[in-house]
């Protein structure tokens, strides 16, 4: 019955569409619409079926898809077809990503084109250009408070500059990832302005309330994202004379997805950037898309339905385009952003692996991999056609969202352990060389997060200040060790700009009134290109980091077992300083790589007896794929240097 209704609606829509658009080559569009219509209709019905205008809204959505398809270039349509054929293309080990702020990295979009050779030199072929859309100066949240979703920030250029960049990237075989901030807009967005002027249609785009009654109910169960700079989740807007929901900063108004018009607008915007050549769209803050009184307003079931709808819509118009879920939530929750009960991702194909990131930092501080091993075990297997973004640093803070139970199993008290980590990384701990800054201190519950550049957190800043060569080497080795893991873990490694040359904290944000309260700016510096040049001078810190990363990337690309097909096995060993896993390739050739990381600063011994039973290290000489050298196994003992790693062929 339901299927019939959806079919007859599809027919109505098709007749209307045919009338609207003649002489267009819509064959593929129709095939894909037919294939996805049932899913789109039933999801849309689950969310908005109660509304009297449901049918009109559904028409509107499909029209949006058709219009965007018509606007899609022949070249991109061809790419869609090729990717549909080779649909696991992004699981290949050849992809290596890099996230940057256009302005800080290269001045503007034109300047960015002049720097692409630097990225290619490193081996990068996936570029995440962080938000470049129009934002109010000052109140921009680093680009995440958008005033106009279809306009490039004039500070970095024009849409033509972006199109030129896209062409250039395509020629080089590089992918482009762009942000679409789906959860909120700036309070200066046209919709917000109209809402402020009293237009009910646009007040319905947001969560707007006359008094505190409902906001207070929400507050009972909603946590605070930015407790220091933006406590609470609602802001009084004087112009409107009403309260509006602002989960992040007070100038970021949360969109209301109970209104189908909001969903349709955002689908249209996603497809707009897909049509400008984005290969990948990063969907910001996806966990927050649905708000419900009495809940934390994160990870709600409807947020998943919205993402499924967005994905299905994208499948109809731009099926070659992938989504990244930015959901910094617990492992059991993150995994759901790929989609549940499926083989292929039905929400986002890629998700940030924040769990792995934070666990690696734990291992660095404790020089021990116990919690890392436990935490990795609690990440459920992902879907087959889905992958992780593995990263060490990004433009945000490091949250300590480990599972309390895992912390206890590792032998620590959760509260004390988190306090230790914050103290360690903010340099308040007596043995710590780290120079981070606290972020998001919550006085009510004692939570805190960590900001700081990779190099400063890894101890390089303090070591350089002291001129202590041994400490400098330790800092460099820490940076390299963590990179060796994101290269080998399974997924797309995502490097953060500046990290390949050991960029230190930049405290100049403290002099900027719009930035000084947000310590994340300490690790969002202007890239120092003179420092980058030193990567070519043998023996410099920059050279020691850059040349190793370049080699790590090159070697990763050659190892078929590093492609991501759920082909990792965590191996338990009896030395707590070591993190050991194997990667295998049973698709192309039968080969296995044993990945070993030592988080202690002293050499550690691995007893390979247990591993031998699993077929590893049968011989007394094993080859390290990174160095190309042989490593000795003496009396079934393998020695791993302090902060060292191996990629052993077995
Ligand atoms: C994202 O961040 C962005 O990456 C941040 O730069 C923005 O400030 C924020 O959204 C608002 O647009 O929403 O799902 O702990 O990890 O705010 C997680 C801070 C997010 C960030 C969190 C995050």
């Amino acid at each position: 019955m339901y299927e019939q209704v959806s079919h007859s609606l599809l027919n109505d829509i098709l007749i209307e569409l045919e009338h609207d658009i003649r002489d267009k080559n819509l064959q593929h569009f129709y095939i894909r619409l037919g294939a996805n219509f049932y899913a789109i209709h039933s999801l849309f019905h689950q969310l908005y079926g109660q509304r009297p205008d449901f049918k009109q809204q559904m028409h509107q959505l499909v029209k949006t898809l058709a219009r965007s398809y018509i606007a899609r270039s022949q070249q991109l349509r061809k790419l869609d077809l090729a990717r549909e054929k080779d649909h696991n293309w992004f699981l290949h080990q050849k992809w290596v990503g890099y996230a940057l702020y256009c302005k800080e990295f290269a001045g503007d979009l034109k300047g960015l084109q002049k720097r692409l050779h630097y990225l290619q030199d490193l081996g990068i072929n996936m570029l995440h250009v962080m938000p470049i859309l129009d934002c109010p100066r000052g109140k921009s949240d680093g680009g995440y408070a958008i005033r106009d979703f279809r306009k490039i920030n004039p500070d970095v250029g024009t849409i033509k500059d972006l199109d030129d960049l896209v062409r250039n990237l395509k020629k080089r075989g590089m992918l482009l990832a762009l942000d679409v901030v789906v959860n909120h807009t700036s309070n200066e967005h046209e919709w917000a302005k109209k809402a402020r002027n009293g237009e009910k249609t646009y007040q319905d785009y947001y969560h707007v309330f006359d008094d505190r009654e409902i906001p207070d109910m929400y507050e009972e169960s909603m946590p605070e994202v930015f407790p220091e700079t933006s406590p609470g989740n609602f802001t009084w807007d004087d112009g409107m004379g009403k309260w509006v929901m602002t989960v992040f900063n007070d100038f970021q108004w949360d969109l209301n997805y109970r209104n189908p018009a909001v969903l349709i607008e955002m689908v249209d915007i996603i497809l707009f950037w897909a049509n400008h050549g984005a290969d990948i769209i990063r969907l910001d803050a996806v966990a927050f898309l649905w708000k419900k009184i009495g809940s934390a307003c994160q990870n709600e079931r409807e947020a998943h339905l919205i993402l499924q709808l967005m994905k299905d819509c994208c499948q109809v118009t731009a099926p070659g385009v992938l989504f990244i879920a930015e959901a910094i939530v617990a492992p059991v929750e993150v995994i759901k952003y790929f989609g549940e009960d499926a083989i292929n991702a039905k929400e986002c194909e890629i998700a940030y692996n924040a769990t792995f990131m934070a666990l690696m930092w734990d291992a660095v501080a404790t020089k021990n991999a116990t919690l890392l091993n436990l935490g990795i075990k609690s990440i459920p297997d992902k879907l087959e056609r889905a992958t992780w973004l593995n990263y060490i640093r990004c433009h945000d803070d490091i949250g300590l969202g480990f599972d309390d139970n895992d912390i206890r199993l590792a032998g620590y008290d959760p509260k004390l352990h988190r306090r230790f980590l914050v103290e360690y990384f903010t340099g308040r701990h007596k043995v710590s060389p780290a120079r981070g800054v606290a972020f998001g201190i919550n006085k009510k519950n004692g939570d805190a997060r960590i900001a700081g550049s990779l190099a400063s957190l890894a101890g390089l800043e303090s070591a350089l200040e002291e001129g202590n060569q041994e400490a400098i080497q330790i800092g460099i080795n820490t940076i390299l060790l963590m990179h060796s893991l994101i290269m080998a873990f399974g997924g797309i490694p995502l490097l953060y700009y500046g990290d390949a040359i050991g960029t230190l904290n930049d405290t100049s944000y403290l002099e900027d009134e719009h930035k000084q309260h947000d310590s994340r700016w300490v690790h969002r510096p202007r890239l120092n290109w003179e420092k980058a040049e030193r990567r070519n001078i043998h023996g410099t810190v920059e050279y020691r980091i850059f040349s190793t990363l370049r080699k790590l990337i090159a070697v990763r690309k050659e190892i078929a077992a590093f492609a991501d097909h759920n082909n990792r096995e965590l191996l338990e060993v009896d030395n707590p300083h070591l993190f050991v896993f194997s990667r295998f390739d049973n698709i192309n050739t039968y080969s296995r790589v044993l990945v070993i990381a030592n988080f202690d600063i002293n050499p550690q011994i691995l007893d390979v007896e247990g591993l031998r039973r699993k077929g590893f290290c049968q011989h007394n000489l094993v080859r390290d794929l990174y160095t190309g050298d042989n490593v000795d196994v003496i009396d079934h003992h393998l020695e791993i240097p302090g902060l060292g790693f191996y990629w052993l062929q077995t």
Side-chain angles (χ1 to χ4, degrees), residues 101 141 144 181 184 225-226 248-249 252 282 284-288 326-328 395-397 439 449 520 524:
Y101 279 108
D141 189 23
Y144 287 94
V181 183
H184 43 263
V225 181
F226 298 141
F248 294 90
N249 288 296
Q252 288 165 304
R282 174 193 185 274
D284 184 58
V286 289
F288 295 83
E326 194 254 348
I328 312 303
H395 68 293
D396 281 331
D397 50 291
F439 174 78
R449 285 119 76 183
R520 291 176 297 174
R524 298 171 178 178

Side-chain angles (χ1 to χ4, degrees), residues 165-227:
L165 173 70
V166 167
R167 262 191 297 279
N168 196 340
L169 289 171
K170 288 239 173 343
K171 268 190 237 152
R172 293 167 193 258
M174 294 171 86
L175 303 175
L176 175 66
L178 289 181
D179 278 81
V180 175
V181 183
V182 278
N183 180 68
H184 43 263
T185 74
S186 153
N187 62 350
E188 290 184 31
H189 189 282
E190 185 201 335
W191 302 332
K193 282 191 192 152
K194 287 181 176 166
R196 192 173 292 120
N197 282 339
E199 282 188 45
K200 172 85 171 67
T201 311
Y202 290 95
Q203 290 186 354
D204 286 349
Y205 273 41
Y206 301 98
H207 302 266
V208 168
F209 306 97
D210 292 331
D211 53 39
R212 286 294 308 186
E213 196 183 342
I214 294 181
D216 284 343
M217 277 190 238
Y218 269 113
E219 290 290 13
E220 287 166 9
S221 52
M222 281 176 94
E224 292 171 317
V225 181
F226 298 141

